[in-house]
Amino acid sequence: MGNSMLVWSMTVILLAALGYAIPFLGGNAQGARSYWSLVTAAIAGFSSLITLLIVYFYKIPSGVVSRNAKEDETYDGIDEIDAGERKQEEEYCIDFISGIPKVCEVLVGQLNGAITQTEQAVMEMIEKMQAIYSEAERQVHRIKDAIEKSREVMRSASEEIKNNEDLASVIEEFSSQDALDVEESLRKFVQLGEEFKGIEVMVGEIAHIARRTKLLALNASIEASRAGESGRGFAVVAEEVQKLSVQTESVLKSVSGKMLGLAEMMSEETEEIKHIIDAHEKDREDRKQQGVRKLVSSLESVQKLFEIIDKNYDDIFSGIETSNNVIFESVADVLGEIQFQDIVRQRVEHVIEQLNRLNEFAENAIDLLERHEVTSQKIDDLLENMKDGYVMLEQHMAHANVLSEGNKESGTRKEDEISGIDSPKIELF
Amino acid sequence: MVKKIMVVDDSATIRMSLKTILTNAGFEIVQASDGEEALKMLQDGTKPDLIITDINMPKMGGLELIKNVRKLPRLRFVPILALTTESAQEKRDEARKNGATGWIVKPVKGADLLGVIKKVLPGT
């Protein structure tokens, strides 16, 4: 084989690299698409340019060609090219291909830069996701604290209500005791009135004694008159006793009248007070009971309200917990998806590795061109070796899909031969 | 008691994302960037309740790490999950043979990963 075969091989390699890169970009690397598309465009443009140049300078028709007319009689245009011109073209071609490693180096640099850039971006994304999650978690804690404090206030208020209910019972009891005390006072008051009536009897008896004393004094003064001069002193005493009796009777009559009037008044007043107190007591009891009932009812309402609020708090808690779980799961899922960066990195690193191998291939090709020698290295070997570095199913599939595109007539599905294609993504042994 | 998980991966983004997911889920995390570093930490006394390791790493890969961990008596029964982009069935079979507890292909959703951890670490 002549040097033209090597040049053609280079073209095919570059096209293969392009074919490799394009399906890779259509895979899972959506997040980094902009970087890769630039690099692929550069590879595609570069490959196309080389192809055009080779076709132009060597006037290569379709199919495998050789510059050696003896080896390949189908090509006859080469004899028309002047040897001097051909030399110039060869030098240009060698010079051009010599530039390929430098271009590849730039492309590798771009790809490495893209890896670094995506890595930094992803790290920042993770930090921001963590910040979102932490903030959400802090928010939940703040709400929980606020609700807990509110609950504490409610518990305190509830305790107060319980105390107030007890107080209501105490008020009720105290009121009953109060009523009993008033009744006792009235009873004593009535008893006092009865005792006044007892005094009236005593006054009557004293009046009776006074009347008898007056009669005795009268008899004594009669007897003293009969006794003459010797009974004079006795007559004076009898007269004085009689006067005293009259006065006593008079005073007693007056006192008795007043006592009776007082007792009568007391009796009337007692009855009146009893009526008033009874009426007032009933009214007050009604009002008091009504007030206590109202108070208890209000307290019960507040208690029920607290229970509703407490239930609402439970709902809020539950809602917050649910939201927090959704945030947590979403953040976790996003962080899981971020693993695409590692996947892209590995695939790009593999592309870099292959570009470096392509470099070696190009350098070898230049060397051969310069020495007008042939080589045993084949493009199929390079393609076959690419597979050794694949770790992902997607890499194998992209490779298989490109090759099956070129071998449609064979009718075989390369995917079926890929190891682990049917294995589950998650497996516990 | 808080469970400790060792994450072994040469990718800083994977280590960071796993650390975030697992810390938020209440685990304590220790990290190593390759199998060699992880093995040294384990030999020096680190005793995790679970090891999550990548397979393709520089210096020492996950398959070798699993094999070496199983040689340490106190870590013989510690569950080890392989978390990797590797799809080759032969590698998966080798991991199982070396004593791995499970195999997870990246990318994995956080909820799925936590589901697997719950299965291999009961009570979490």
Side-chain angles (χ1 to χ4, degrees):
Chain A
M1 283 177 68
N3 288 337
S4 62
M5 188 58 189
L6 285 170
V7 174
W8 186 241
S9 295
M10 282 304 304
T11 310
V12 175
I13 291 165
L14 287 165
L15 287 171
L18 177 64
Y20 172 84
I22 288 173
F24 157 72
L25 292 166
N28 289 334
Q30 291 150 348
R33 196 170 189 134
S34 56
Y35 302 119
W36 317 140
S37 58
L38 282 171
V39 177
T40 311
I43 294 173
F46 183 59
S47 308
S48 305
L49 189 58
I50 290 175
T51 310
L52 285 170
L53 281 166
I54 290 168
V55 170
Y56 176 77
F57 285 114
Y58 289 83
K59 296 183 172 54
I60 300 168
S62 61
V64 175
V65 284
S66 165
R67 285 177 56 203
N68 190 337
K70 286 178 186 171
E71 285 177 13
D72 189 352
E73 292 176 3
T74 58
Y75 183 67
D76 56 6
I78 194 136
D79 293 335
E80 295 166 14
I81 301 171
D82 177 71
E85 278 181 4
R86 194 150 84 191
K87 180 73 181 161
Q88 260 190 331
E89 288 165 2
E90 267 184 18
E91 279 171 4
Y92 180 83
C93 197
I94 288 167
D95 188 47
F96 188 88
I97 294 171
S98 299
I100 291 177
K102 190 172 276 183
V103 175
C104 280
E105 211 176 307
V106 172
L107 292 175
V108 167
Q110 291 291 347
L111 290 171
N112 277 324
I115 289 174
T116 310
Q117 210 173 343
T118 53
E119 198 168 62
Q120 283 170 353
V122 163
M123 296 288 239
E124 280 173 23
M125 278 166 70
I126 293 171
E127 277 174 13
K128 280 175 185 164
M129 291 303 293
Q130 178 56 27
I132 290 170
Y133 178 75
S134 300
E135 188 49 42
E137 205 172 37
R138 272 196 293 275
Q139 194 71 357
V140 167
H141 284 307
R142 276 196 288 266
I143 294 167
K144 277 183 177 175
D145 283 349
I147 288 178
E148 204 44 59
K149 277 175 191 160
S150 179
R151 271 192 159 146
E152 189 56 44
V153 171
M154 272 173 36
R155 266 195 292 274
S156 263
S158 209
E159 194 63 33
E160 281 298 312
I161 287 170
K162 176 83 175 55
N163 290 341
N164 285 341
E165 278 176 345
D166 292 345
L167 187 65
S169 305
V170 170
I171 290 167
E172 205 169 11
E173 200 180 327
F174 178 77
S175 302
S176 305
Q177 185 61 46
D178 193 36
L180 282 173
D181 289 349
V182 171
E183 201 175 323
E184 178 64 17
S185 297
L186 276 174
R187 193 182 62 75
K188 283 179 181 171
F189 202 55
V190 170
Q191 197 179 1
L192 197 62
E194 292 301 319
E195 279 175 9
F196 273 146
K197 283 179 183 171
I199 289 170
E200 185 198 351
V201 175
M202 283 171 71
V203 167
E205 280 176 7
I206 292 167
H208 178 65
I209 291 166
R211 276 195 297 276
R212 284 186 65 188
T213 307
K214 191 178 130 189
L215 193 60
L216 283 171
L218 184 64
N219 286 337
S221 34
I222 290 167
E223 287 301 323
S225 300
R226 278 183 192 166
E229 196 59 32
S230 55
R232 188 172 295 271
F234 185 71
V236 172
V237 172
E239 192 179 344
E240 285 303 314
V241 170
Q242 195 178 354
K243 281 181 188 172
L244 185 63
S245 297
V246 171
Q247 277 179 348
T248 300
E249 196 178 358
S250 171
V251 170
L252 280 172
K253 272 184 182 172
S254 171
V255 169
S256 176
K258 283 179 183 173
M259 291 286 278
L260 280 173
L262 192 59
E264 193 65 31
M265 274 173 71
M266 274 179 74
S267 180
E268 283 173 13
E269 281 301 314
T270 304
E271 283 302 311
E272 186 64 21
I273 288 167
K274 270 180 85 176
H275 284 305
I276 290 167
I277 287 175
D278 282 349
H280 178 70
E281 195 62 34
K282 191 175 181 301
D283 184 46
R284 197 172 66 155
E285 198 60 34
D286 286 349
R287 275 191 288 135
K288 196 191 295 166
Q289 279 176 5
Q290 206 177 358
V292 170
R293 272 201 301 274
K294 204 173 170 182
L295 177 66
V296 170
S297 167
S298 296
L299 295 176
E300 280 172 358
S301 297
V302 174
Q303 194 79 302
K304 276 178 189 163
L305 198 65
F306 280 175
E307 281 166 17
I308 292 166
I309 293 169
D310 207 41
K311 168 83 176 55
N312 284 344
Y313 280 161
D314 282 341
D315 292 345
I316 293 167
F317 261 138
S318 162
I320 288 169
E321 286 291 343
T322 308
S323 299
N324 200 32
N325 284 340
V326 169
I327 293 169
F328 171 73
E329 281 170 18
S330 302
V331 168
D333 281 350
V334 170
L335 290 172
E337 294 295 334
I338 278 174
Q339 291 163 15
F340 88 88
Q341 192 277 333
D342 183 46
I343 292 165
V344 170
R345 176 184 64 85
Q346 289 186 44
R347 295 187 75 167
V348 171
E349 279 175 355
H350 186 256
V351 171
I352 290 170
E353 198 182 311
Q354 296 311 311
L355 279 172
N356 286 331
R357 292 185 75 175
L358 199 59
N359 259 354
E360 289 169 19
F361 215 91
E363 281 166 1
N364 194 26
I366 293 158
D367 188 45
L368 291 169
L369 273 172
E370 284 172 342
R371 288 188 280 116
H372 299 282
E373 286 178 7
V374 292
T375 178
S376 61
Q377 66 180 12
K378 290 177 183 170
I379 193 68
D380 283 348
D381 295 339
L382 190 68
L383 284 169
E384 199 57 36
N385 285 337
M386 272 187 192
K387 290 204 282 189
D388 294 342
Y390 293 155
V391 292
M392 290 168 231
L393 201 58
E394 290 77 9
Q395 287 174 308
H396 287 288
M397 286 178 75
H399 189 105
N401 286 338
V402 170
L403 292 186
S404 65
E405 281 293 312
N407 297 296
K408 272 182 183 167
E409 64 280 2
S410 69
T412 56
R413 282 189 64 218
K414 295 274 183 182
E415 294 96 319
D416 297 340
E417 299 163 14
I418 299 170
S419 168
I421 194 163
D422 296 323
S423 303
K425 277 196 76 180
I426 295 174
E427 185 181 9
L428 285 177
F429 302 138
Chain B
M1 194 176 158
V2 178
K3 300 272 183 186
K4 190 189 284 181
I5 299 179
M6 175 180 258
V7 173
V8 190
D9 205 303
D10 57 324
S11 162
T13 54
I14 292 288
R15 289 200 305 274
M16 194 172 177
S17 69
L18 288 183
K19 186 188 172 191
T20 310
I21 293 170
L22 299 174
T23 307
N24 288 345
F27 296 104
E28 185 190 334
I29 306 301
V30 286
Q31 303 177 54
S33 56
D34 57 63
E36 200 176 272
E37 188 188 347
L39 189 61
K40 190 172 182 316
M41 286 169 72
L42 295 169
Q43 284 168 339
D44 287 349
T46 303
K47 192 182 181 309
D49 297 290
L50 167 70
I51 298 170
I52 300 176
T53 180
D54 190 12
I55 292 297
N56 301 305
M57 291 182 289
K59 295 182 186 173
M60 184 190 287
L63 293 174
E64 204 183 333
L65 173 66
I66 296 167
K67 195 192 275 183
N68 283 313
V69 168
R70 291 301 179 225
K71 285 179 190 166
L72 300 171
R74 64 192 177 86
L75 297 173
R76 193 169 292 162
F77 302 109
V78 167
I80 305 176
L81 294 172
L83 179 62
T84 176
T85 52
E86 180 61 62
S87 62
Q89 186 58 45
E90 313 86 72
K91 296 272 181 78
R92 193 183 288 223
D93 293 340
E94 196 182 337
R96 187 202 314 252
K97 201 179 119 198
N98 288 357
T101 314
W103 185 273
I104 302 167
V105 179
K106 291 176 192 170
V108 61
K109 287 191 171 186
D112 292 341
L113 177 65
L114 292 171
V116 174
I117 290 173
K118 205 169 184 177
K119 282 182 187 166
V120 298
L121 277 182
T124 55

